[in-house]
Amino acid sequence: MTDYAVELCNVTKVFSSGRGAKSEDVYAVKEMNLGIPRGQFFTLLGPSGCGKTTTLRLIAGFETPSSGEIFIQGKPMSKIPPNVRPVNTVFQNYALFPHMNVASNVAFGLAIKRVPRDEQKRIVKEALELVQLADMGKRMPSQLSGGQQQRVALARALVNKPAVLLLDEPLGALDLKLRKAMQIELKHIQEQVGITFVYVTHDQEEALTMSDFIALMSDGLILQLGDPATLYKKPANKFVADFIGESNFIRGTVDSITRKGTKLRVLDELVTVDAMEVNLAKGQAATFTIRPEKMMLKTKQPVSTEALSGTVQEVIYIGTDTRYIVTLQSGESVVVRVQNGCSPDVEQFSKGDLVKVVWLPEDARLLTD
Amino acid sequence: MENRRQFASLIGPPSLYLFLLFLLPVGLMFVYSFRAGITGPAHDVFTLDNYRSFLTNSHFHRLFWRSALISLTISVISSLLAYPLAYYLVFQAGRNRVTLMTLLIIPAWTSYLLRIFAWKLILGSSGLLNSLLLSLGVIEKASPMLIYSRSAVIVTLVYVWVPFVALPIFAALGRIDRNLLEAAADLGCKPWEAFLRVTLPLSLPGVAAGFFFAFIPTLGEFVTPLLVGGASGQMYGNLIQDQFMRALNWPMGSVMSLAMLVAVITLVFILTRLASVSDLGGVYE
């Protein structure tokens, strides 16, 4: 017995587009190896076209892998059609049956399994209570709002007690406020029922909010796998740093490599960056990244910080924070986010001021492209 | 003001069309139905005799019900044949869908009479079917029963109407969200269960529309029964035609036409009540 609810071993999915001589193979998923731990909220995150939905459909059985094998609860799935797999899906457009009322929609899976009527009723009632639609059983799907339809779709999937629940951007069609509320609610429901959730989204904030683990995908590959904090704090490469949250990228050349870290030359200034596992040689070009909220603006560089000089280009007040756009001597722009209020040592600057952009050495990360 | 003018210009032409080609003829028939005749002094006589004799003539009633039964048979068989056809086109044909669809429609571009005569060639006593059965030794003597019978009428009209019944079913099936079928599979349905629980109920409005496409026009059909129907294949439409063309009893023909009009409208009304009008177009709101 493995600890994984779902395992993908060397899974590749190729789609052929076009006809005859013009046909072209598109790799939606490339040799993917992935273990999704039992009972976790797992998110496949990535821009559109990165292969996340295809991965989900492969697990559900709507697509068959071109090569490789998928295991669900340790059992190989290649010969198992979707209707027998221990998974259920919440579709992006909900896919509620328009000719059945809410209760019949939710009971659908149970009816197929010939669960006795009385028990069906009890389970449906429980499920509708779980998603806060207790009185809506008699309504038709068309009479519900998007958020309510989404809950029905969730209830319809959950009543079957799947080993894994697959969710394909289920909140995509909802407005921002409802979306935020549903994110928390989905997370709570997952904790309550203890089922493994595999969630597909392109929204990094949503992924950070809900997930225990995130796999960030691009071009059919997983670029980084980890918990939200790791992905945010220790992005594996530039794409991850750029996709998750906001990042400043600063280019320099390697000046020297010591045990304490790598010294980079940015125009005339020297900064020290954590070494990481990046293999660099002296004189090579390198990029490091710092989050805007990890930077500060000072007139003088405090001790044990790293700093670059620049000129304030723009000051944008956004309530809780002030965003400074600073042009470094090298000509590159960085965004610095300063929280308003609380801290007494925050200095105010205005456009045109000469400043030091400072940060703690451990907040900068050297990146590979 | 502007709106009203626009409205009038939009509603005008179709209203005129309906008035000239539908309301006016029906109105004329209504007027004729109360006359003793259409020429001479009889023209000015107001009478209810036509209605009286229509209501008391059991031959008319028998033929009416026989026609209804024939139309019903044709519509049911056409629907049963058209459904798998439309299903195949929507779900299996893939790239060939448009080509196959065109092939299905092409016969409808040829003359209606031509298509009926084609069936005469197939069903006739020295026709294709008889010759085939003879040469295979299935029958010993050419069967004259194939043509000039009620079944010949049914076969011919089914052939004529299947493409038209298939179209609304095709449209209804095409509108079904594929995600719904995936959802059904996801929730444990075998393919046939998904068909019975999702595909079929969602396509029923299309089936109903197709059914009416065949039922309403065949009820008044007179050309096909005339050409391939023989004595047992005569329909109510032939009776009406006889009144107008042979007996020259237009008032009686008018009464019979109006009776059929009322019957059809009543029937459609009842059936559209059962399945709401919007469902007929296969639209779910």
Side-chain angles (χ1 to χ4, degrees), chain B residues 71 74-75 78-79 157 160-169 205-219 268 280:
Chain B
S71 290
I74 291 164
S75 313
S78 302
S79 304
L157 285 176
V160 168
W161 287 103
V162 157
F164 297 97
V165 178
L167 281 176
I169 300 175
V207 177
F211 181 88
F212 281 122
F213 272 20
F215 185 78
I216 295 170
T218 50
L219 196 57
V268 172
L280 267 183

PDB file of all heavy atoms in Angstrom, chain B residues 71 74-75 78-79 157 160-169 205-219 268 280:
ATOM      1  N   SER B  71     -50.504   7.905 -40.889  1.00  0.00           N
ATOM      2  CA  SER B  71     -49.564   8.985 -40.576  1.00  0.00           C
ATOM      3  C   SER B  71     -48.780   8.670 -39.314  1.00  0.00           C
ATOM      4  O   SER B  71     -47.575   8.893 -39.227  1.00  0.00           O
ATOM      5  CB  SER B  71     -50.302  10.296 -40.365  1.00  0.00           C
ATOM      6  OG  SER B  71     -50.816  10.731 -41.579  1.00  0.00           O
ATOM      7  N   ILE B  74     -46.237   6.069 -40.070  1.00  0.00           N
ATOM      8  CA  ILE B  74     -45.118   6.675 -40.814  1.00  0.00           C
ATOM      9  C   ILE B  74     -44.220   7.481 -39.881  1.00  0.00           C
ATOM     10  O   ILE B  74     -42.992   7.351 -39.893  1.00  0.00           O
ATOM     11  CB  ILE B  74     -45.656   7.586 -41.940  1.00  0.00           C
ATOM     12  CG1 ILE B  74     -46.320   6.742 -43.024  1.00  0.00           C
ATOM     13  CG2 ILE B  74     -44.537   8.428 -42.541  1.00  0.00           C
ATOM     14  CD1 ILE B  74     -47.192   7.546 -43.965  1.00  0.00           C
ATOM     15  N   SER B  75     -44.850   8.296 -39.009  1.00  0.00           N
ATOM     16  CA  SER B  75     -44.066   9.157 -38.124  1.00  0.00           C
ATOM     17  C   SER B  75     -43.248   8.338 -37.135  1.00  0.00           C
ATOM     18  O   SER B  75     -42.085   8.646 -36.859  1.00  0.00           O
ATOM     19  CB  SER B  75     -44.984  10.101 -37.354  1.00  0.00           C
ATOM     20  OG  SER B  75     -45.902  10.690 -38.228  1.00  0.00           O
ATOM     21  N   SER B  78     -40.457   6.571 -39.073  1.00  0.00           N
ATOM     22  CA  SER B  78     -39.451   7.563 -39.479  1.00  0.00           C
ATOM     23  C   SER B  78     -38.600   7.979 -38.298  1.00  0.00           C
ATOM     24  O   SER B  78     -37.381   8.094 -38.401  1.00  0.00           O
ATOM     25  CB  SER B  78     -40.126   8.803 -40.063  1.00  0.00           C
ATOM     26  OG  SER B  78     -40.909   8.463 -41.150  1.00  0.00           O
ATOM     27  N   SER B  79     -39.247   8.227 -37.138  1.00  0.00           N
ATOM     28  CA  SER B  79     -38.494   8.631 -35.953  1.00  0.00           C
ATOM     29  C   SER B  79     -37.526   7.537 -35.539  1.00  0.00           C
ATOM     30  O   SER B  79     -36.365   7.800 -35.216  1.00  0.00           O
ATOM     31  CB  SER B  79     -39.436   8.943 -34.794  1.00  0.00           C
ATOM     32  OG  SER B  79     -40.368   9.923 -35.177  1.00  0.00           O
ATOM     33  N   LEU B 157     -43.611   6.950 -48.020  1.00  0.00           N
ATOM     34  CA  LEU B 157     -43.611   8.186 -47.239  1.00  0.00           C
ATOM     35  C   LEU B 157     -42.540   8.176 -46.152  1.00  0.00           C
ATOM     36  O   LEU B 157     -41.960   9.214 -45.838  1.00  0.00           O
ATOM     37  CB  LEU B 157     -44.998   8.441 -46.639  1.00  0.00           C
ATOM     38  CG  LEU B 157     -46.011   8.946 -47.676  1.00  0.00           C
ATOM     39  CD1 LEU B 157     -47.386   9.098 -47.049  1.00  0.00           C
ATOM     40  CD2 LEU B 157     -45.560  10.272 -48.266  1.00  0.00           C
ATOM     41  N   VAL B 160     -39.530   9.267 -47.858  1.00  0.00           N
ATOM     42  CA  VAL B 160     -39.526  10.704 -48.136  1.00  0.00           C
ATOM     43  C   VAL B 160     -39.217  11.518 -46.883  1.00  0.00           C
ATOM     44  O   VAL B 160     -38.491  12.511 -46.932  1.00  0.00           O
ATOM     45  CB  VAL B 160     -40.895  11.130 -48.721  1.00  0.00           C
ATOM     46  CG1 VAL B 160     -41.022  12.651 -48.753  1.00  0.00           C
ATOM     47  CG2 VAL B 160     -41.060  10.559 -50.124  1.00  0.00           C
ATOM     48  N   TRP B 161     -39.741  11.073 -45.743  1.00  0.00           N
ATOM     49  CA  TRP B 161     -39.685  11.927 -44.557  1.00  0.00           C
ATOM     50  C   TRP B 161     -38.509  11.690 -43.615  1.00  0.00           C
ATOM     51  O   TRP B 161     -38.205  12.547 -42.786  1.00  0.00           O
ATOM     52  CB  TRP B 161     -41.004  11.860 -43.785  1.00  0.00           C
ATOM     53  CG  TRP B 161     -42.061  12.611 -44.529  1.00  0.00           C
ATOM     54  CD1 TRP B 161     -43.067  12.092 -45.276  1.00  0.00           C
ATOM     55  CD2 TRP B 161     -42.168  14.032 -44.645  1.00  0.00           C
ATOM     56  NE1 TRP B 161     -43.796  13.085 -45.863  1.00  0.00           N
ATOM     57  CE2 TRP B 161     -43.263  14.290 -45.486  1.00  0.00           C
ATOM     58  CE3 TRP B 161     -41.448  15.102 -44.128  1.00  0.00           C
ATOM     59  CZ2 TRP B 161     -43.654  15.577 -45.818  1.00  0.00           C
ATOM     60  CZ3 TRP B 161     -41.832  16.390 -44.455  1.00  0.00           C
ATOM     61  CH2 TRP B 161     -42.924  16.619 -45.299  1.00  0.00           C
ATOM     62  N   VAL B 162     -37.850  10.541 -43.718  1.00  0.00           N
ATOM     63  CA  VAL B 162     -36.751  10.256 -42.775  1.00  0.00           C
ATOM     64  C   VAL B 162     -35.714  11.395 -42.679  1.00  0.00           C
ATOM     65  O   VAL B 162     -35.371  11.812 -41.591  1.00  0.00           O
ATOM     66  CB  VAL B 162     -36.075   8.898 -43.098  1.00  0.00           C
ATOM     67  CG1 VAL B 162     -34.666   8.824 -42.551  1.00  0.00           C
ATOM     68  CG2 VAL B 162     -36.897   7.768 -42.505  1.00  0.00           C
ATOM     69  N   PRO B 163     -35.249  11.955 -43.811  1.00  0.00           N
ATOM     70  CA  PRO B 163     -34.254  13.031 -43.676  1.00  0.00           C
ATOM     71  C   PRO B 163     -34.777  14.231 -42.894  1.00  0.00           C
ATOM     72  O   PRO B 163     -34.054  14.833 -42.114  1.00  0.00           O
ATOM     73  CB  PRO B 163     -33.961  13.438 -45.122  1.00  0.00           C
ATOM     74  CG  PRO B 163     -34.406  12.299 -45.939  1.00  0.00           C
ATOM     75  CD  PRO B 163     -35.523  11.643 -45.216  1.00  0.00           C
ATOM     76  N   PHE B 164     -36.059  14.539 -43.088  1.00  0.00           N
ATOM     77  CA  PHE B 164     -36.619  15.707 -42.421  1.00  0.00           C
ATOM     78  C   PHE B 164     -36.849  15.454 -40.937  1.00  0.00           C
ATOM     79  O   PHE B 164     -36.799  16.366 -40.126  1.00  0.00           O
ATOM     80  CB  PHE B 164     -37.926  16.135 -43.095  1.00  0.00           C
ATOM     81  CG  PHE B 164     -37.715  16.548 -44.518  1.00  0.00           C
ATOM     82  CD1 PHE B 164     -37.946  15.661 -45.556  1.00  0.00           C
ATOM     83  CD2 PHE B 164     -37.236  17.817 -44.807  1.00  0.00           C
ATOM     84  CE1 PHE B 164     -37.720  16.037 -46.867  1.00  0.00           C
ATOM     85  CE2 PHE B 164     -37.011  18.200 -46.120  1.00  0.00           C
ATOM     86  CZ  PHE B 164     -37.252  17.306 -47.149  1.00  0.00           C
ATOM     87  N   VAL B 165     -37.111  14.201 -40.594  1.00  0.00           N
ATOM     88  CA  VAL B 165     -37.253  13.848 -39.186  1.00  0.00           C
ATOM     89  C   VAL B 165     -35.869  13.830 -38.536  1.00  0.00           C
ATOM     90  O   VAL B 165     -35.703  14.220 -37.383  1.00  0.00           O
ATOM     91  CB  VAL B 165     -37.945  12.478 -39.036  1.00  0.00           C
ATOM     92  CG1 VAL B 165     -38.047  12.089 -37.574  1.00  0.00           C
ATOM     93  CG2 VAL B 165     -39.329  12.521 -39.665  1.00  0.00           C
ATOM     94  N   ALA B 166     -34.867  13.428 -39.307  1.00  0.00           N
ATOM     95  CA  ALA B 166     -33.509  13.341 -38.758  1.00  0.00           C
ATOM     96  C   ALA B 166     -32.937  14.717 -38.413  1.00  0.00           C
ATOM     97  O   ALA B 166     -32.183  14.851 -37.457  1.00  0.00           O
ATOM     98  CB  ALA B 166     -32.586  12.622 -39.743  1.00  0.00           C
ATOM     99  N   LEU B 167     -33.331  15.742 -39.186  1.00  0.00           N
ATOM    100  CA  LEU B 167     -32.734  17.065 -38.974  1.00  0.00           C
ATOM    101  C   LEU B 167     -32.936  17.624 -37.563  1.00  0.00           C
ATOM    102  O   LEU B 167     -31.962  17.994 -36.919  1.00  0.00           O
ATOM    103  CB  LEU B 167     -33.239  18.055 -40.035  1.00  0.00           C
ATOM    104  CG  LEU B 167     -32.557  17.921 -41.401  1.00  0.00           C
ATOM    105  CD1 LEU B 167     -33.189  18.882 -42.397  1.00  0.00           C
ATOM    106  CD2 LEU B 167     -31.062  18.191 -41.297  1.00  0.00           C
ATOM    107  N   PRO B 168     -34.187  17.704 -37.070  1.00  0.00           N
ATOM    108  CA  PRO B 168     -34.314  18.246 -35.709  1.00  0.00           C
ATOM    109  C   PRO B 168     -33.676  17.343 -34.640  1.00  0.00           C
ATOM    110  O   PRO B 168     -33.176  17.848 -33.641  1.00  0.00           O
ATOM    111  CB  PRO B 168     -35.832  18.348 -35.496  1.00  0.00           C
ATOM    112  CG  PRO B 168     -36.443  17.538 -36.569  1.00  0.00           C
ATOM    113  CD  PRO B 168     -35.479  17.487 -37.699  1.00  0.00           C
ATOM    114  N   ILE B 169     -33.668  16.036 -34.880  1.00  0.00           N
ATOM    115  CA  ILE B 169     -33.011  15.143 -33.921  1.00  0.00           C
ATOM    116  C   ILE B 169     -31.506  15.400 -33.941  1.00  0.00           C
ATOM    117  O   ILE B 169     -30.856  15.487 -32.902  1.00  0.00           O
ATOM    118  CB  ILE B 169     -33.311  13.662 -34.244  1.00  0.00           C
ATOM    119  CG1 ILE B 169     -34.812  13.413 -34.194  1.00  0.00           C
ATOM    120  CG2 ILE B 169     -32.587  12.745 -33.275  1.00  0.00           C
ATOM    121  CD1 ILE B 169     -35.225  12.016 -34.601  1.00  0.00           C
ATOM    122  N   PRO B 205     -37.024  16.443 -27.216  1.00  0.00           N
ATOM    123  CA  PRO B 205     -37.671  17.562 -27.912  1.00  0.00           C
ATOM    124  C   PRO B 205     -37.413  17.523 -29.421  1.00  0.00           C
ATOM    125  O   PRO B 205     -38.317  17.828 -30.205  1.00  0.00           O
ATOM    126  CB  PRO B 205     -37.009  18.786 -27.281  1.00  0.00           C
ATOM    127  CG  PRO B 205     -36.563  18.328 -25.948  1.00  0.00           C
ATOM    128  CD  PRO B 205     -36.176  16.890 -26.104  1.00  0.00           C
ATOM    129  N   GLY B 206     -36.214  17.138 -29.810  1.00  0.00           N
ATOM    130  CA  GLY B 206     -35.895  17.008 -31.229  1.00  0.00           C
ATOM    131  C   GLY B 206     -36.703  15.901 -31.879  1.00  0.00           C
ATOM    132  O   GLY B 206     -37.173  16.026 -33.009  1.00  0.00           O
ATOM    133  N   VAL B 207     -36.884  14.806 -31.143  1.00  0.00           N
ATOM    134  CA  VAL B 207     -37.683  13.696 -31.653  1.00  0.00           C
ATOM    135  C   VAL B 207     -39.127  14.146 -31.847  1.00  0.00           C
ATOM    136  O   VAL B 207     -39.748  13.853 -32.874  1.00  0.00           O
ATOM    137  CB  VAL B 207     -37.620  12.484 -30.691  1.00  0.00           C
ATOM    138  CG1 VAL B 207     -38.523  11.362 -31.190  1.00  0.00           C
ATOM    139  CG2 VAL B 207     -36.188  11.992 -30.545  1.00  0.00           C
ATOM    140  N   ALA B 208     -39.650  14.894 -30.868  1.00  0.00           N
ATOM    141  CA  ALA B 208     -41.031  15.381 -30.968  1.00  0.00           C
ATOM    142  C   ALA B 208     -41.178  16.286 -32.198  1.00  0.00           C
ATOM    143  O   ALA B 208     -42.144  16.155 -32.963  1.00  0.00           O
ATOM    144  CB  ALA B 208     -41.411  16.141 -29.699  1.00  0.00           C
ATOM    145  N   ALA B 209     -40.205  17.185 -32.385  1.00  0.00           N
ATOM    146  CA  ALA B 209     -40.258  18.088 -33.542  1.00  0.00           C
ATOM    147  C   ALA B 209     -40.228  17.278 -34.838  1.00  0.00           C
ATOM    148  O   ALA B 209     -41.029  17.524 -35.751  1.00  0.00           O
ATOM    149  CB  ALA B 209     -39.086  19.064 -33.492  1.00  0.00           C
ATOM    150  N   GLY B 210     -39.340  16.303 -34.910  1.00  0.00           N
ATOM    151  CA  GLY B 210     -39.228  15.462 -36.096  1.00  0.00           C
ATOM    152  C   GLY B 210     -40.507  14.697 -36.355  1.00  0.00           C
ATOM    153  O   GLY B 210     -40.970  14.591 -37.498  1.00  0.00           O
ATOM    154  N   PHE B 211     -41.095  14.190 -35.288  1.00  0.00           N
ATOM    155  CA  PHE B 211     -42.352  13.455 -35.377  1.00  0.00           C
ATOM    156  C   PHE B 211     -43.431  14.313 -36.052  1.00  0.00           C
ATOM    157  O   PHE B 211     -44.102  13.873 -36.992  1.00  0.00           O
ATOM    158  CB  PHE B 211     -42.778  13.049 -33.968  1.00  0.00           C
ATOM    159  CG  PHE B 211     -44.044  12.261 -33.915  1.00  0.00           C
ATOM    160  CD1 PHE B 211     -44.021  10.874 -34.030  1.00  0.00           C
ATOM    161  CD2 PHE B 211     -45.264  12.897 -33.764  1.00  0.00           C
ATOM    162  CE1 PHE B 211     -45.190  10.145 -33.985  1.00  0.00           C
ATOM    163  CE2 PHE B 211     -46.440  12.176 -33.719  1.00  0.00           C
ATOM    164  CZ  PHE B 211     -46.400  10.795 -33.833  1.00  0.00           C
ATOM    165  N   PHE B 212     -43.540  15.562 -35.618  1.00  0.00           N
ATOM    166  CA  PHE B 212     -44.546  16.452 -36.207  1.00  0.00           C
ATOM    167  C   PHE B 212     -44.211  16.811 -37.645  1.00  0.00           C
ATOM    168  O   PHE B 212     -45.109  16.954 -38.469  1.00  0.00           O
ATOM    169  CB  PHE B 212     -44.688  17.728 -35.378  1.00  0.00           C
ATOM    170  CG  PHE B 212     -45.528  17.526 -34.160  1.00  0.00           C
ATOM    171  CD1 PHE B 212     -45.019  17.789 -32.907  1.00  0.00           C
ATOM    172  CD2 PHE B 212     -46.824  17.057 -34.271  1.00  0.00           C
ATOM    173  CE1 PHE B 212     -45.795  17.584 -31.782  1.00  0.00           C
ATOM    174  CE2 PHE B 212     -47.605  16.849 -33.151  1.00  0.00           C
ATOM    175  CZ  PHE B 212     -47.091  17.116 -31.898  1.00  0.00           C
ATOM    176  N   PHE B 213     -42.912  16.960 -37.922  1.00  0.00           N
ATOM    177  CA  PHE B 213     -42.482  17.234 -39.296  1.00  0.00           C
ATOM    178  C   PHE B 213     -43.063  16.196 -40.251  1.00  0.00           C
ATOM    179  O   PHE B 213     -43.390  16.502 -41.384  1.00  0.00           O
ATOM    180  CB  PHE B 213     -40.948  17.200 -39.395  1.00  0.00           C
ATOM    181  CG  PHE B 213     -40.292  18.516 -39.107  1.00  0.00           C
ATOM    182  CD1 PHE B 213     -40.954  19.503 -38.407  1.00  0.00           C
ATOM    183  CD2 PHE B 213     -39.001  18.771 -39.545  1.00  0.00           C
ATOM    184  CE1 PHE B 213     -40.362  20.711 -38.136  1.00  0.00           C
ATOM    185  CE2 PHE B 213     -38.394  19.991 -39.281  1.00  0.00           C
ATOM    186  CZ  PHE B 213     -39.066  20.958 -38.571  1.00  0.00           C
ATOM    187  N   ALA B 214     -43.148  14.950 -39.779  1.00  0.00           N
ATOM    188  CA  ALA B 214     -43.666  13.888 -40.635  1.00  0.00           C
ATOM    189  C   ALA B 214     -45.177  13.758 -40.505  1.00  0.00           C
ATOM    190  O   ALA B 214     -45.883  13.591 -41.493  1.00  0.00           O
ATOM    191  CB  ALA B 214     -42.995  12.556 -40.278  1.00  0.00           C
ATOM    192  N   PHE B 215     -45.664  13.855 -39.262  1.00  0.00           N
ATOM    193  CA  PHE B 215     -47.068  13.558 -39.011  1.00  0.00           C
ATOM    194  C   PHE B 215     -48.019  14.549 -39.692  1.00  0.00           C
ATOM    195  O   PHE B 215     -48.964  14.150 -40.369  1.00  0.00           O
ATOM    196  CB  PHE B 215     -47.341  13.527 -37.503  1.00  0.00           C
ATOM    197  CG  PHE B 215     -48.734  13.108 -37.156  1.00  0.00           C
ATOM    198  CD1 PHE B 215     -49.095  11.770 -37.196  1.00  0.00           C
ATOM    199  CD2 PHE B 215     -49.689  14.046 -36.795  1.00  0.00           C
ATOM    200  CE1 PHE B 215     -50.378  11.369 -36.885  1.00  0.00           C
ATOM    201  CE2 PHE B 215     -50.990  13.657 -36.490  1.00  0.00           C
ATOM    202  CZ  PHE B 215     -51.330  12.309 -36.531  1.00  0.00           C
ATOM    203  N   ILE B 216     -47.751  15.841 -39.521  1.00  0.00           N
ATOM    204  CA  ILE B 216     -48.686  16.852 -40.016  1.00  0.00           C
ATOM    205  C   ILE B 216     -48.825  16.814 -41.538  1.00  0.00           C
ATOM    206  O   ILE B 216     -49.944  16.731 -42.053  1.00  0.00           O
ATOM    207  CB  ILE B 216     -48.301  18.254 -39.490  1.00  0.00           C
ATOM    208  CG1 ILE B 216     -48.468  18.254 -37.970  1.00  0.00           C
ATOM    209  CG2 ILE B 216     -49.157  19.338 -40.128  1.00  0.00           C
ATOM    210  CD1 ILE B 216     -47.921  19.466 -37.284  1.00  0.00           C
ATOM    211  N   PRO B 217     -47.739  16.844 -42.287  1.00  0.00           N
ATOM    212  CA  PRO B 217     -47.933  16.812 -43.755  1.00  0.00           C
ATOM    213  C   PRO B 217     -48.470  15.486 -44.286  1.00  0.00           C
ATOM    214  O   PRO B 217     -49.234  15.482 -45.252  1.00  0.00           O
ATOM    215  CB  PRO B 217     -46.541  17.089 -44.329  1.00  0.00           C
ATOM    216  CG  PRO B 217     -45.609  17.204 -43.192  1.00  0.00           C
ATOM    217  CD  PRO B 217     -46.327  16.998 -41.933  1.00  0.00           C
ATOM    218  N   THR B 218     -48.108  14.370 -43.668  1.00  0.00           N
ATOM    219  CA  THR B 218     -48.581  13.098 -44.217  1.00  0.00           C
ATOM    220  C   THR B 218     -50.063  12.891 -43.976  1.00  0.00           C
ATOM    221  O   THR B 218     -50.720  12.160 -44.706  1.00  0.00           O
ATOM    222  CB  THR B 218     -47.813  11.882 -43.640  1.00  0.00           C
ATOM    223  OG1 THR B 218     -47.793  11.970 -42.228  1.00  0.00           O
ATOM    224  CG2 THR B 218     -46.412  11.805 -44.185  1.00  0.00           C
ATOM    225  N   LEU B 219     -50.598  13.549 -42.948  1.00  0.00           N
ATOM    226  CA  LEU B 219     -52.026  13.402 -42.652  1.00  0.00           C
ATOM    227  C   LEU B 219     -52.872  13.884 -43.830  1.00  0.00           C
ATOM    228  O   LEU B 219     -53.914  13.311 -44.136  1.00  0.00           O
ATOM    229  CB  LEU B 219     -52.360  14.215 -41.384  1.00  0.00           C
ATOM    230  CG  LEU B 219     -53.677  13.892 -40.705  1.00  0.00           C
ATOM    231  CD1 LEU B 219     -53.736  12.418 -40.333  1.00  0.00           C
ATOM    232  CD2 LEU B 219     -53.853  14.749 -39.460  1.00  0.00           C
ATOM    233  N   VAL B 268     -51.784  19.249 -32.202  1.00  0.00           N
ATOM    234  CA  VAL B 268     -50.528  19.954 -31.950  1.00  0.00           C
ATOM    235  C   VAL B 268     -50.612  20.721 -30.633  1.00  0.00           C
ATOM    236  O   VAL B 268     -49.671  20.737 -29.840  1.00  0.00           O
ATOM    237  CB  VAL B 268     -50.195  20.918 -33.112  1.00  0.00           C
ATOM    238  CG1 VAL B 268     -48.998  21.787 -32.780  1.00  0.00           C
ATOM    239  CG2 VAL B 268     -49.915  20.126 -34.378  1.00  0.00           C
ATOM    240  N   LEU B 280     -39.727  22.013 -27.867  1.00  0.00           N
ATOM    241  CA  LEU B 280     -39.820  21.527 -29.243  1.00  0.00           C
ATOM    242  C   LEU B 280     -38.601  21.914 -30.058  1.00  0.00           C
ATOM    243  O   LEU B 280     -38.177  21.200 -30.937  1.00  0.00           O
ATOM    244  CB  LEU B 280     -41.073  22.086 -29.915  1.00  0.00           C
ATOM    245  CG  LEU B 280     -42.282  21.197 -29.816  1.00  0.00           C
ATOM    246  CD1 LEU B 280     -43.433  21.813 -30.564  1.00  0.00           C
ATOM    247  CD2 LEU B 280     -41.969  19.830 -30.379  1.00  0.00           C
TER     248      LEU B 280
END
